[in-house]
């Protein structure tokens, strides 16, 4: 055991001596640049190597790592990198300067058209997910709204999103591809078999009342 211990100490000493500062080549290295992996001995040498190599000292989170060298730390780094990207994208979407006057003008026009049709159209603040996903539009040539609908089937824990639904389309026609025993899609029909097997008179269509407290759902 003593022999193995002595060999280990010698090898470690040699390892430390081997890494000299790659800027001055005189002192023992104390720092390693996360970006270019250069060894430095002091803050002065760190600044010199950044200036000489145009290095910013920030680790490249997108650098290639082979499968053989990929570890749990690399996986955690990738996960945090994706989280940072998501936060940055969300912050950009919330920034008011990212929304052009044209978008505001179209939204104002949409509200005015809805008001003329006796529709109380309300929009969520900038940055909300539902606001970004909403695809409701108004066709001036046809004088018709095309709505963004979300169908929720609570008994089957299923949700379906419909885009571009014209305002003159009846609820019966909208629901045919989902709960009609004959015209519905076979895969969807199987998932919503509680609804397709029930008489149409037993199926209720409700809309959620908005502007209520979070735990008060009607």
């Amino acid at each position: 055991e003593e022999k193995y211990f002595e060999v280990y100490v010698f090898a470690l000493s040699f390892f430390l001596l081997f890494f000299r500062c790659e800027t001055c080549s005189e002192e023992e290295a104390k720092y390693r640049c996360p970006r270019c992996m250069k060894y430095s001995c002091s803050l002065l040498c760190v600044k010199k190597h950044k200036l000489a190599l145009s290095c910013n000292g920030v680790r490249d989170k997108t650098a290639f790592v082979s499968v053989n060298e990929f570890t749990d730390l690399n996986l955690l780094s990738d996960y945090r990198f994706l989280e940072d990207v998501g936060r940055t994208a969300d912050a950009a979407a919330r920034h008011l300067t990212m929304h052009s006057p044209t978008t505001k003008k179209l939204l104002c026009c949409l509200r005015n058209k809805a008001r003329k049709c006796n529709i109380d159209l309300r929009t969520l603040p900038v940055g909300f997910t539902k606001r970004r996903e909403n695809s409701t539009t108004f066709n001036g040539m046809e004088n018709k709204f095309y709505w963004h609908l979300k169908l929720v089937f609570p008994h089957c824990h299923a949700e379906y999103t419909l885009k571009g639904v014209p305002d003159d389309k009846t609820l019966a026609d909208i629901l045919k591809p989902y709960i009609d025993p004959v015209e519905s899609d076979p895969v969807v029909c199987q998932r919503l078999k509680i609804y397709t097997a029930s008489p149409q008179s037993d199926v209720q269509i409700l809309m959620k009342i908005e502007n209520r407290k979070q735990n008060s759902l009607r």
Side-chain angles (χ1 to χ4, degrees):
E1 291 181 358
E2 288 185 355
K3 290 182 179 179
Y4 280 111
F5 180 74
E6 291 173 358
V7 171
Y8 174 77
V9 172
F10 175 78
L12 181 61
S13 301
F14 178 78
F15 181 83
L16 292 175
L17 289 172
F18 179 79
F19 289 103
R20 294 287 182 180
C21 176
E22 297 184 53
T23 302
C24 65
S25 302
E26 296 178 358
E27 301 294 331
E28 180 181 330
K30 298 179 181 179
Y31 313 103
R32 191 178 188 185
C33 179
R35 183 76 177 187
C36 62
M37 300 301 174
K38 295 289 185 181
Y39 287 93
S40 303
C41 63
S42 62
L43 181 60
L44 180 61
C45 286
V46 169
K47 292 181 178 180
K48 286 182 179 180
H49 112 265
K50 286 182 177 181
L51 185 62
L53 302 177
S54 299
C55 176
N56 57 10
V58 179
R59 182 176 65 86
D60 185 7
K61 297 179 181 179
T62 61
F64 173 77
V65 179
S66 63
V67 177
N68 298 332
E69 298 176 354
F70 199 85
T71 63
D72 292 341
L73 290 177
N74 297 114
L75 179 62
L76 181 61
S77 175
D78 289 348
Y79 180 76
R80 289 176 175 172
F81 173 71
L82 292 175
E83 283 188 324
D84 292 339
V85 171
R87 282 193 292 267
T88 303
D90 184 67
R94 292 173 184 270
H95 204 281
L96 295 177
T97 57
M98 295 298 292
H99 299 271
S100 63
T102 305
T103 304
K104 295 180 180 179
K105 184 178 180 180
L106 291 175
L107 186 59
C108 184
C109 179
L110 193 67
R111 289 173 181 161
N112 293 335
K113 294 295 183 182
R115 192 179 299 111
K116 291 180 180 179
C117 298
N118 295 323
I119 298 173
D120 183 14
L121 182 63
R122 303 181 184 182
T123 57
L124 289 169
V126 174
F128 276 63
T129 302
K130 288 184 178 180
R131 165 89 179 251
R132 293 198 300 266
E133 293 177 349
N134 197 334
S135 60
T136 297
T137 57
F138 181 81
N139 190 314
M141 299 291 294
E142 301 177 5
N143 196 31
K144 185 186 298 185
F145 273 96
Y146 285 86
W147 297 101
H148 183 109
L149 300 184
K150 182 179 180 181
L151 304 179
V152 182
F153 299 90
H155 293 290
C156 299
H157 303 286
E159 295 183 0
Y160 297 94
T161 301
L162 305 179
K163 297 182 179 181
V165 180
D167 56 14
D168 57 355
K169 191 172 184 179
T170 64
L171 288 172
D173 291 336
I174 293 173
L175 292 175
K176 273 184 180 179
Y178 298 92
I179 63 175
D180 189 276
V182 179
E183 299 187 24
S184 61
D185 181 86
V187 177
V188 177
C189 181
Q190 179 63 25
R191 186 178 183 186
L192 304 178
K193 57 184 178 182
I194 297 177
Y195 296 90
T196 55
S198 302
Q200 291 188 1
S201 59
D202 292 346
V203 178
Q204 290 185 332
I205 303 173
L206 307 175
M207 292 184 67
K208 185 176 70 172
I209 298 178
E210 301 291 348
N211 299 325
R212 292 179 63 86
K213 293 182 180 180
Q214 185 175 4
N215 296 327
S216 178
L217 180 64
R218 286 185 58 189

